[in-house]
Amino acid sequence: MNAHAPLAALAEIAPLHGRAWLVGGAVRDTLLGRDTPDLDLAVDGDVRALARDLGRSASGYAFQLSDEFGGWRVRAHDQSWQVDLTPLMGETLEQDLRRRDLTINAIARELDATDELIDPCGGVTDLRARRLRAVGPRSFSADPLRVMRLTRMAAELGFSAEQETLRLAARSAPMLTGVAAERVFAELRLTLSSERAVAGLELAQRVGATAAVLPELEALRGLRQSDYHHLDVYNHTLATLQAAIDLHRDPAASFGDLAPALSEVLDEPLANELTRGQALRFGALLHDIAKPLTYALSAEGRPTFFEHDVRGAGLATQMLTRLRASERLTAHTAALTRHHLRLGFLVHERPLPARTVYRYLVTCEPVEVDVTVLSVADRLATQGRNSGRAITLHIELAREMLSAALRWRANRPRPPAAGDALARALGIRPGPQLGRLLAELTEAAYAGEIASDASVMAYAREWLARDSGAHRHDAER
C-alpha cells in the first residue's frame, strides 16, 4: 500500500471531523516530483478522532505523538506510509503556515484539490530558485531544532540557504544544546543518510550547529597531521565520509566483481532506520574522533595520535549514547572506530598467512565487512606523501580481505569437532581450557592445518599438552 491509500481515505473522512490540508514536506516533494510515503496534515478540527478514523479506514494504526502539541500519527501496518496530523498553529491556515520554518515547507493544498496551492510565504518561488529561506525572524528561535533541519534540507535537496536565513540560524544554533537529544539525532541521521551529507555537515559547521551538538567533531578543525596526510583531521574526516558514500554508491570502483555481494551486505537494515551502508557513515564521521585527545609530537616534531582507535571507540560510544542512538548502532560505530586501522597495519605483511586473515576476521566481527570498506575510505582520503602507491597496495589487500570477509559472513567457520565429544575423548572438563582448544582448532582448520577427524584428535592432544605445560610453568613461577 502506498501514500495514495491514506489520501483517498482522508478525502472521504476528513470533512467529518473538521477541515484538513496537506502541508509541508508532502506538498513540497510533490512539487519537486519526489515520491514520499510520509504525509503531514494541518487539522482545524478533532485531530484525535480523525487519526483514529483514518487508522481504521486505511488499515493502519493511530497513536499520539505529543501531549504538548496535540499531534497524532497514523502508520501503515507494513510501514509503507505514515500520516502526521497536528492542530493548526494559529486561528487560520495562513497563521499556521507563517509559523513554520522554511518557505518551501509552508505551502498547503486542499485534500481534494490537485493544482490549487496556498502559498502565503512565496515557497513555490523559492522551490524554483532552489533556495532555502526562513519564513520569518522567529523561524529558528521558536524551535532551535530547525537549525538542524535547515542543514538537513540543504543536504537532501541540494538547495542553498539565503544570507538572512543563515544569520538567523547562526543566532539560534547555540540553543540546540537545550533540544531533546532524540530530536537532534533524528536530524543528524537524516543528514548522514543523504548523498550530500558532507554539504549538510559543512553548513552545520558554518552556522554553529556542529559546535552545539557535536563539539567533539568541531574539535578536529585545524588539527595538523603528518605529511602522509594532505588535510587537517576535520577535513580528512569529511573526505573519508565522502569516500564512504562513494564506495556505497559505486562499490565496483574499488572492489570489482565483489561489488554485488558487498552491496547486498551494505543494503541490509541495521538499526535506527539505517542500512549498514548508511551506518558506515557514522563510522567514517567518528573514526578519528579521539585524535585531539591523543595528539602528541614525536622527537622529530611529527604529529602522532597513538591509540586514537581505542580511545575513539569509547568516545564514539559516549557521543551516540548522549544522542540517544540505539545500542546496536552505538556498538556498531564503536567497533568500526576501534578496528579501522587494522587492515592498514597488514599491508606490508602480504602475502598474508591464513591465520592472519582469520585473526583479522574474528577480531573485527561483526563489522568485518564494514570496517574493511571503511579502511579503504580512510585510505582514499589520505593523499599526502607517497599516497598513490599506498592507496594501490591498500585496495589490493582490501579486495583480498573483503573476499574472505564475505565468505566468512555467509558461512562462519565452526570448530571441526563438537566440544562435548572432545571433552570426553581427551578427559577434560568443560571450561576455559576447552574453549581455548575449540578456538585453536577452528583457526587451524581455517588455515588448512587439519585435514581429517584423526588429525583433529592428534592436533588437539598436542595442543593440550602444550597448554597444560604452559599453565604448570606459570603456576610454578
Side-chain angles (χ1 to χ4, degrees):
M1 190 179 293
N2 57 34
H4 294 295
L7 271 179
L10 281 166
E12 291 185 11
I13 66 176
L16 302 176
H17 302 283
R19 196 173 180 190
W21 297 266
L22 276 176
V23 294
V27 180
R28 178 198 69 228
D29 287 348
T30 298
L31 293 173
L32 290 172
R34 290 161 37 119
D35 291 330
T36 176
D38 299 339
L39 305 180
D40 294 286
L41 261 67
V43 181
D44 185 10
D46 191 335
V47 176
R48 175 177 175 271
L50 177 54
R52 290 187 166 182
D53 204 357
L54 175 61
R56 287 190 295 269
S57 301
S59 300
Y61 58 99
F63 53 95
Q64 190 169 13
L65 286 175
S66 163
D67 288 331
E68 181 180 359
F69 299 107
W72 280 70
R73 174 170 292 170
V74 183
R75 178 176 289 162
H77 286 288
D78 64 359
Q79 311 290 309
S80 61
W81 56 263
Q82 71 179 31
V83 180
D84 285 350
L85 306 92
T86 55
L88 283 181
M89 295 186 293
E91 296 182 0
T92 67
L93 176 63
E94 182 170 332
Q95 288 179 0
D96 177 288
L97 295 175
R98 289 188 181 278
R99 292 183 180 183
R100 292 179 179 265
D101 52 1
L102 303 171
T103 61
I104 63 170
N105 296 330
I107 309 168
R109 74 170 176 84
E110 300 278 359
L111 283 173
D112 58 354
T114 56
D115 298 320
E116 185 177 352
L117 298 172
I118 304 160
D119 181 22
C121 305
V124 173
T125 299
D126 287 330
L127 272 178
R128 291 172 180 154
R130 302 178 63 80
R131 178 170 56 229
L132 300 174
R133 181 167 62 89
V135 167
R138 296 191 68 253
S139 288
F140 299 109
S141 60
D143 182 1
L145 182 72
R146 292 172 171 179
V147 178
M148 292 288 290
R149 193 173 300 146
L150 171 72
T151 65
R152 187 252 294 180
M153 298 298 294
E156 285 187 347
L157 301 177
F159 284 15
S160 298
E162 56 103 40
Q163 288 302 310
E164 177 61 11
T165 296
L166 291 175
R167 187 187 71 79
L168 292 171
R171 191 168 69 186
S172 293
M175 292 188 285
L176 279 165
T177 56
V179 174
E182 295 87 348
R183 300 180 71 210
V184 171
F185 175 76
E187 292 296 333
L188 177 63
R189 173 180 63 81
L190 291 170
T191 299
L192 285 180
S193 296
S194 167
E195 294 303 288
R196 304 181 189 88
V198 170
L201 290 174
E202 287 175 333
L203 182 59
Q205 193 283 323
R206 180 179 174 187
V207 299
T210 303
V213 302
L214 292 173
E216 299 90 346
L217 184 62
E218 183 75 9
L220 304 183
R221 288 174 53 79
L223 187 60
R224 184 174 69 89
Q225 306 194 81
S226 72
D227 57 2
Y228 290 102
H229 287 264
H230 66 302
L231 299 169
D232 69 358
V233 181
Y234 177 80
N235 287 292
H236 166 75
T237 294
L238 294 189
T240 302
L241 172 59
Q242 186 60 57
I245 293 171
D246 293 341
L247 287 169
H248 189 190
R249 183 175 54 240
D250 182 19
S254 291
F255 298 109
D257 59 5
L258 298 173
L262 174 58
S263 292
E264 189 174 331
V265 173
L266 295 181
D267 289 342
E268 291 178 4
L270 181 82
N272 289 112
E273 301 178 58
L274 296 167
T275 65
R276 296 184 79 96
Q278 291 166 333
L280 182 66
R281 302 176 189 190
F282 278 88
L285 189 67
L286 302 183
H287 77 286
D288 279 348
I289 201 67
K291 279 193 170 179
L293 304 179
T294 56
Y295 174 80
L297 291 175
S298 69
E300 300 77 27
R302 180 174 62 88
T304 64
F305 306 96
F306 293 119
E307 294 195 340
H308 75 272
D309 50 345
V310 178
R311 296 188 65 181
L315 186 54
T317 298
Q318 293 175 24
M319 293 171 67
L320 290 174
T321 300
R322 182 182 76 222
L323 290 171
R324 302 292 192 271
S326 70
E327 290 184 5
R328 187 174 186 193
L329 177 63
T330 299
H332 186 85
T333 305
L336 290 173
T337 303
R338 174 65 183 89
H339 300 306
H340 77 275
L341 296 177
R342 288 189 184 277
L343 191 70
F345 290 150
L346 300 176
V347 169
H348 298 296
E349 295 184 22
R350 295 176 70 204
L352 298 184
R355 280 183 174 266
T356 300
V357 174
Y358 178 90
R359 289 168 187 169
Y360 173 90
L361 296 173
V362 79
T363 300
C364 294
E365 193 177 31
V367 298
E368 66 282 353
V369 170
D370 319 66
V371 78
T372 302
V373 178
L374 176 59
S375 78
V376 172
D378 189 17
R379 181 69 261 183
L380 289 170
T382 307
Q383 306 229 0
R385 180 160 62 94
N386 298 330
S387 61
R389 178 64 174 161
I391 289 172
T392 298
L393 292 174
H394 191 103
I395 290 177
E396 288 176 357
L397 177 58
R399 286 183 177 179
E400 295 172 12
M401 191 65 79
L402 182 62
S403 179
L406 289 168
R407 291 193 302 273
W408 175 282
R409 182 172 172 77
N411 186 22
R412 193 193 190 283
R414 296 178 178 275
D420 55 351
L422 273 176
R424 286 194 303 270
L426 298 172
I428 60 175
R429 294 179 179 180
Q433 186 180 49
L434 179 60
R436 294 195 303 273
L437 173 57
L438 289 170
E440 172 63 23
L441 289 172
T442 307
E443 182 174 332
Y446 184 91
E449 298 169 10
I450 297 176
S452 66
D453 292 344
S455 62
V456 169
M457 294 308 300
Y459 191 101
R461 288 191 175 92
E462 182 181 340
W463 179 90
L464 190 61
R466 291 198 308 270
D467 185 70
S468 298
H471 279 73
R472 282 196 302 273
H473 178 71
D474 289 342
E476 292 168 358
R477 289 180 61 184

